[in-house]
Amino acid sequence: DAGARSILEGLMGRVPGLVVSYENGQPKATMRGNRTLTGDSTPLFILDGFPTHSLDNINVFDVDYIEVLREASIYGSQGANGAIIVYTKK
């Protein structure tokens, strides 16, 4: 989305089951609902093949394409809540 300020904002309404809310002014993603005892149902973020804690500092104009996996068991228990995989332009 050309008007999105962040990657998560750009995904809002485009990925079934992805809910983007705001916590302290920062977008927070939830996929597949709240499925953990600790209440953390954040999907796994992967940037160019490496796990990362957040996608907040990535410029949306640097993104080549994005894959969203609702079932990301290939990443073990870290992928239990899905995965958002971002590839940047080389």
Side-chain angles (χ1 to χ4, degrees):
D1 186 7
R5 295 177 297 177
S6 73
I7 293 171
L8 293 178
E9 283 183 9
L11 292 174
M12 283 193 309
R14 296 176 184 253
V15 178
L18 178 69
V19 177
V20 179
S21 58
Y22 288 87
E23 195 171 283
N24 298 325
Q26 296 295 319
K28 180 180 181 210
T30 303
M31 197 166 9
R32 302 176 54 117
N34 189 357
R35 299 168 42 91
T36 63
L37 295 174
T38 61
D40 183 18
S41 56
T42 304
L44 176 64
F45 299 120
I46 299 178
L47 178 64
D48 291 327
F50 297 98
T52 184
H53 296 287
S54 168
L55 298 174
D56 294 340
N57 295 326
I58 308 303
N59 186 339
V60 294
F61 297 107
D62 291 338
V63 174
D64 189 19
Y65 66 97
I66 299 172
E67 291 182 42
V68 179
L69 303 176
R70 291 173 47 93
E71 171 56 50
S73 61
I74 60 171
Y75 295 107
S77 63
Q78 290 180 321
N81 296 315
I84 297 176
I85 306 167
V86 177
Y87 297 94
T88 58
K89 297 173 185 172
K90 303 286 187 231

